[in-house]
Amino acid sequence: MHYNDMSFKIPYENESYQSDSHFVIEAIESIIQKAVANENNKIVLNTNLRLGLPMENINKIAGPIVEAWAYETFHDIKDNLDNAYQLVNVEPLSRLDKADVLLQFKKSKSSITANVDVKATAEDIKNSGKGPNITSFSRIRSAYIEDPDFMFIILSLKHKVYSERNHITKLIDGVMEIVKYNAYDLKFLSDNDINYNPALGTGQIQVKDIHYVGYEYRTTWEFCQLLDRKYLNSSRRSFDDWYREAVKNKWIK
């Protein structure tokens, strides 16, 4: 058997998907931009350490903290029923889910659901953001079969951390400040920007450099084929491995 001999389940997305994706990304970036402009982009970390936080290792704890900031920022917008972004629902997703936050927007008479994966990278650490793991190959491949309009948004938040003395406690506070941001639809990232890492389970989809990506508009089916090609081109994967996953996850008829 060969890949091209398979009888695939081919997903067909809604004709409005591309414009829906643009709508969601513009809304997400506008929300973050407003938070930065209003100086609501600082996270203060209080500690009783007299010398403050260990700055050389701060990136190890930044991820969940920045993710929590993003969730609260979206949640505060959602609480305003007349918000300009038409954000109507915000839900935190479990640790083992595909993404971190689920956002739902109202557009005309329909709704759009976006699964947002928050990635924190350091402004002042060289190569921070290079090659982050995004999601499991089999999990994301299956998601697009189950829902051809599945929308997976990568929200890259770049931060810098500094210390300042708290004049009330007389201790050193750590301040984590969001300074740059970008949102991308995984399905539209350029071929060259997507890597496959065979480590961990069925392998991880990675972005080469989350700060510099190109866009290539494609259909859901074209993206599934791209994922398959990345998997099959790995020296540690075979067609038999792919076929086993295809049968297990019902990618073929």
Side-chain angles (χ1 to χ4, degrees):
M1 291 188 296
H2 299 281
Y3 181 82
N4 291 331
D5 296 331
M6 298 295 100
S7 180
F8 291 96
K9 290 183 178 178
I10 300 178
Y12 295 99
E13 71 274 24
N14 194 297
E15 290 182 359
S16 67
Y17 180 90
Q18 187 171 319
S19 64
D20 291 344
S21 176
H22 277 297
F23 175 86
V24 167
I25 287 173
E26 184 175 335
I28 289 173
E29 291 189 339
S30 295
I31 289 170
I32 302 300
Q33 181 185 43
K34 182 178 180 181
V36 172
N38 291 342
E39 298 188 354
N40 294 324
N41 58 329
K42 296 180 178 65
I43 307 165
V44 179
L45 307 174
N46 301 115
T47 175
N48 63 353
L49 294 173
R50 289 181 293 104
L51 301 179
L53 296 169
M55 293 300 174
E56 67 275 11
N57 292 313
I58 196 68
N59 60 307
K60 295 180 180 179
I61 65 170
I65 294 173
V66 171
E67 178 188 323
W69 174 87
Y71 171 74
E72 290 193 4
T73 299
F74 291 128
H75 193 274
D76 290 346
I77 293 292
K78 184 267 297 184
D79 283 346
N80 176 6
L81 299 181
D82 295 321
N83 70 81
Y85 314 99
Q86 300 183 60
L87 180 61
V88 295
N89 188 38
V90 179
E91 296 178 20
L93 297 176
S94 68
R95 186 176 63 85
L96 297 178
D97 215 311
K98 291 181 283 292
D100 299 314
V101 184
L102 184 143
L103 304 180
Q104 290 180 308
F105 297 86
K106 183 179 179 182
K107 183 185 176 188
S108 299
K109 296 181 179 180
S110 62
S111 64
I112 308 170
T113 299
N115 295 264
V116 181
D117 187 35
V118 181
K119 293 299 179 187
T121 59
E123 168 85 345
D124 46 6
I125 297 178
K126 187 177 181 180
N127 293 329
S128 178
K130 292 277 189 177
N133 286 331
I134 301 298
T135 185
S136 157
F137 163 75
S138 286
R139 180 177 291 184
I140 197 69
R141 174 70 162 82
S142 298
Y144 287 104
I145 296 299
E146 294 165 5
D147 178 10
D149 292 312
F150 181 77
M151 190 178 294
F152 189 94
I153 304 297
I154 302 168
L155 175 58
S156 171
L157 296 175
K158 186 177 278 192
H159 60 84
K160 63 179 180 180
V161 182
Y162 53 90
S163 296
E164 59 184 20
R165 183 168 294 280
N166 187 313
H167 296 292
I168 297 176
T169 65
K170 306 304 181 182
L171 297 174
I172 301 296
D173 287 342
V175 179
M176 190 173 291
E177 183 178 358
I178 311 302
V179 292
K180 294 180 182 177
Y181 53 88
N182 287 102
Y184 314 105
D185 188 328
L186 176 64
K187 192 169 82 172
F188 294 146
L189 293 190
S190 74
D191 189 328
N192 189 53
D193 287 313
I194 299 174
N195 276 343
Y196 170 76
N197 179 358
L200 300 176
T202 63
Q204 290 284 312
I205 300 303
Q206 296 180 324
V207 176
K208 283 185 180 179
D209 187 340
I210 203 167
H211 305 305
Y212 302 98
V213 301
Y215 250 36
E216 293 178 7
Y217 293 107
R218 55 175 70 88
T219 66
T220 300
W221 173 230
E222 287 170 339
F223 187 60
C224 289
Q225 291 175 295
L226 181 150
L227 293 175
D228 289 344
R229 187 171 69 254
K230 299 284 183 180
Y231 181 94
L232 290 167
N233 285 344
S234 169
S235 60
R236 290 172 54 182
R237 301 297 182 190
S238 67
F239 173 77
D240 288 341
D241 294 328
W242 179 89
Y243 183 72
R244 183 169 55 252
E245 290 299 316
V247 172
K248 175 183 175 182
N249 294 291
K250 301 179 181 179
W251 302 339
I252 53 179
K253 297 177 184 178

PDB file of all heavy atoms in Angstrom, residues 84-97:
ATOM      1  N   ALA A  84     -16.506  45.873  21.650  1.00  0.00           N
ATOM      2  CA  ALA A  84     -16.349  46.137  20.221  1.00  0.00           C
ATOM      3  C   ALA A  84     -15.826  44.941  19.442  1.00  0.00           C
ATOM      4  O   ALA A  84     -15.896  44.931  18.212  1.00  0.00           O
ATOM      5  CB  ALA A  84     -15.400  47.320  20.030  1.00  0.00           C
ATOM      6  N   TYR A  85     -15.330  43.937  20.138  1.00  0.00           N
ATOM      7  CA  TYR A  85     -14.704  42.794  19.466  1.00  0.00           C
ATOM      8  C   TYR A  85     -15.689  41.638  19.244  1.00  0.00           C
ATOM      9  O   TYR A  85     -15.341  40.635  18.657  1.00  0.00           O
ATOM     10  CB  TYR A  85     -13.517  42.303  20.299  1.00  0.00           C
ATOM     11  CG  TYR A  85     -12.639  43.438  20.757  1.00  0.00           C
ATOM     12  CD1 TYR A  85     -12.759  43.950  22.057  1.00  0.00           C
ATOM     13  CD2 TYR A  85     -11.723  44.032  19.897  1.00  0.00           C
ATOM     14  CE1 TYR A  85     -11.973  45.009  22.483  1.00  0.00           C
ATOM     15  CE2 TYR A  85     -10.937  45.096  20.317  1.00  0.00           C
ATOM     16  CZ  TYR A  85     -11.072  45.580  21.607  1.00  0.00           C
ATOM     17  OH  TYR A  85     -10.305  46.637  22.022  1.00  0.00           O
ATOM     18  N   GLN A  86     -16.893  41.792  19.763  1.00  0.00           N
ATOM     19  CA  GLN A  86     -17.943  40.780  19.649  1.00  0.00           C
ATOM     20  C   GLN A  86     -17.504  39.451  20.261  1.00  0.00           C
ATOM     21  O   GLN A  86     -17.865  38.375  19.788  1.00  0.00           O
ATOM     22  CB  GLN A  86     -18.358  40.598  18.173  1.00  0.00           C
ATOM     23  CG  GLN A  86     -18.895  41.874  17.547  1.00  0.00           C
ATOM     24  CD  GLN A  86     -19.376  41.694  16.134  1.00  0.00           C
ATOM     25  OE1 GLN A  86     -20.286  40.906  15.875  1.00  0.00           O
ATOM     26  NE2 GLN A  86     -18.769  42.412  15.198  1.00  0.00           N
ATOM     27  N   LEU A  87     -16.700  39.555  21.308  1.00  0.00           N
ATOM     28  CA  LEU A  87     -16.279  38.369  22.059  1.00  0.00           C
ATOM     29  C   LEU A  87     -17.383  38.014  23.048  1.00  0.00           C
ATOM     30  O   LEU A  87     -17.740  38.827  23.905  1.00  0.00           O
ATOM     31  CB  LEU A  87     -14.970  38.660  22.799  1.00  0.00           C
ATOM     32  CG  LEU A  87     -14.380  37.537  23.647  1.00  0.00           C
ATOM     33  CD1 LEU A  87     -14.045  36.321  22.794  1.00  0.00           C
ATOM     34  CD2 LEU A  87     -13.131  38.037  24.382  1.00  0.00           C
ATOM     35  N   VAL A  88     -17.925  36.807  22.933  1.00  0.00           N
ATOM     36  CA  VAL A  88     -19.092  36.454  23.742  1.00  0.00           C
ATOM     37  C   VAL A  88     -18.822  35.347  24.753  1.00  0.00           C
ATOM     38  O   VAL A  88     -19.607  35.143  25.674  1.00  0.00           O
ATOM     39  CB  VAL A  88     -20.278  36.037  22.832  1.00  0.00           C
ATOM     40  CG1 VAL A  88     -20.744  37.214  21.992  1.00  0.00           C
ATOM     41  CG2 VAL A  88     -19.912  34.852  21.945  1.00  0.00           C
ATOM     42  N   ASN A  89     -17.714  34.621  24.607  1.00  0.00           N
ATOM     43  CA  ASN A  89     -17.442  33.539  25.555  1.00  0.00           C
ATOM     44  C   ASN A  89     -15.935  33.286  25.640  1.00  0.00           C
ATOM     45  O   ASN A  89     -15.230  33.325  24.626  1.00  0.00           O
ATOM     46  CB  ASN A  89     -18.159  32.254  25.133  1.00  0.00           C
ATOM     47  CG  ASN A  89     -18.053  31.169  26.188  1.00  0.00           C
ATOM     48  OD1 ASN A  89     -18.107  31.435  27.379  1.00  0.00           O
ATOM     49  ND2 ASN A  89     -17.882  29.932  25.757  1.00  0.00           N
ATOM     50  N   VAL A  90     -15.468  33.035  26.865  1.00  0.00           N
ATOM     51  CA  VAL A  90     -14.059  32.727  27.114  1.00  0.00           C
ATOM     52  C   VAL A  90     -13.997  31.564  28.085  1.00  0.00           C
ATOM     53  O   VAL A  90     -14.615  31.616  29.154  1.00  0.00           O
ATOM     54  CB  VAL A  90     -13.308  33.940  27.713  1.00  0.00           C
ATOM     55  CG1 VAL A  90     -11.849  33.592  27.976  1.00  0.00           C
ATOM     56  CG2 VAL A  90     -13.408  35.147  26.792  1.00  0.00           C
ATOM     57  N   GLU A  91     -13.281  30.521  27.724  1.00  0.00           N
ATOM     58  CA  GLU A  91     -13.174  29.347  28.598  1.00  0.00           C
ATOM     59  C   GLU A  91     -11.725  28.880  28.676  1.00  0.00           C
ATOM     60  O   GLU A  91     -11.063  28.741  27.647  1.00  0.00           O
ATOM     61  CB  GLU A  91     -14.025  28.187  28.062  1.00  0.00           C
ATOM     62  CG  GLU A  91     -15.515  28.448  28.042  1.00  0.00           C
ATOM     63  CD  GLU A  91     -16.287  27.270  27.461  1.00  0.00           C
ATOM     64  OE1 GLU A  91     -15.723  26.142  27.426  1.00  0.00           O
ATOM     65  OE2 GLU A  91     -17.431  27.481  27.022  1.00  0.00           O
ATOM     66  N   PRO A  92     -11.237  28.607  29.892  1.00  0.00           N
ATOM     67  CA  PRO A  92      -9.907  28.007  30.006  1.00  0.00           C
ATOM     68  C   PRO A  92     -10.003  26.530  29.635  1.00  0.00           C
ATOM     69  O   PRO A  92     -10.984  25.860  29.962  1.00  0.00           O
ATOM     70  CB  PRO A  92      -9.568  28.193  31.487  1.00  0.00           C
ATOM     71  CG  PRO A  92     -10.903  28.199  32.171  1.00  0.00           C
ATOM     72  CD  PRO A  92     -11.868  28.836  31.203  1.00  0.00           C
ATOM     73  N   LEU A  93      -8.999  26.033  28.939  1.00  0.00           N
ATOM     74  CA  LEU A  93      -9.003  24.618  28.558  1.00  0.00           C
ATOM     75  C   LEU A  93      -8.068  23.837  29.472  1.00  0.00           C
ATOM     76  O   LEU A  93      -7.150  24.396  30.075  1.00  0.00           O
ATOM     77  CB  LEU A  93      -8.578  24.474  27.089  1.00  0.00           C
ATOM     78  CG  LEU A  93      -9.516  25.147  26.087  1.00  0.00           C
ATOM     79  CD1 LEU A  93      -8.966  25.041  24.664  1.00  0.00           C
ATOM     80  CD2 LEU A  93     -10.917  24.535  26.156  1.00  0.00           C
ATOM     81  N   SER A  94      -8.310  22.551  29.575  1.00  0.00           N
ATOM     82  CA  SER A  94      -7.524  21.719  30.490  1.00  0.00           C
ATOM     83  C   SER A  94      -6.088  21.580  30.000  1.00  0.00           C
ATOM     84  O   SER A  94      -5.784  21.813  28.820  1.00  0.00           O
ATOM     85  CB  SER A  94      -8.159  20.332  30.625  1.00  0.00           C
ATOM     86  OG  SER A  94      -8.060  19.619  29.408  1.00  0.00           O
ATOM     87  N   ARG A  95      -5.201  21.187  30.886  1.00  0.00           N
ATOM     88  CA  ARG A  95      -3.775  21.089  30.584  1.00  0.00           C
ATOM     89  C   ARG A  95      -3.507  20.144  29.426  1.00  0.00           C
ATOM     90  O   ARG A  95      -2.567  20.339  28.662  1.00  0.00           O
ATOM     91  CB  ARG A  95      -3.019  20.615  31.829  1.00  0.00           C
ATOM     92  CG  ARG A  95      -1.504  20.606  31.684  1.00  0.00           C
ATOM     93  CD  ARG A  95      -0.844  20.221  32.984  1.00  0.00           C
ATOM     94  NE  ARG A  95      -1.191  18.872  33.388  1.00  0.00           N
ATOM     95  CZ  ARG A  95      -0.549  17.771  32.964  1.00  0.00           C
ATOM     96  NH1 ARG A  95       0.451  17.882  32.117  1.00  0.00           N
ATOM     97  NH2 ARG A  95      -0.919  16.575  33.378  1.00  0.00           N
ATOM     98  N   LEU A  96      -4.328  19.109  29.275  1.00  0.00           N
ATOM     99  CA  LEU A  96      -4.105  18.109  28.231  1.00  0.00           C
ATOM    100  C   LEU A  96      -4.877  18.417  26.950  1.00  0.00           C
ATOM    101  O   LEU A  96      -4.878  17.607  26.016  1.00  0.00           O
ATOM    102  CB  LEU A  96      -4.486  16.712  28.752  1.00  0.00           C
ATOM    103  CG  LEU A  96      -3.646  16.204  29.937  1.00  0.00           C
ATOM    104  CD1 LEU A  96      -4.139  14.833  30.385  1.00  0.00           C
ATOM    105  CD2 LEU A  96      -2.168  16.133  29.575  1.00  0.00           C
ATOM    106  N   ASP A  97      -5.525  19.565  26.891  1.00  0.00           N
ATOM    107  CA  ASP A  97      -6.278  19.921  25.687  1.00  0.00           C
ATOM    108  C   ASP A  97      -5.333  20.404  24.597  1.00  0.00           C
ATOM    109  O   ASP A  97      -4.140  20.578  24.809  1.00  0.00           O
ATOM    110  CB  ASP A  97      -7.306  21.008  26.012  1.00  0.00           C
ATOM    111  CG  ASP A  97      -8.588  20.838  25.213  1.00  0.00           C
ATOM    112  OD1 ASP A  97      -8.482  20.672  23.979  1.00  0.00           O
ATOM    113  OD2 ASP A  97      -9.673  20.861  25.818  1.00  0.00           O
TER     114      ASP A  97
END
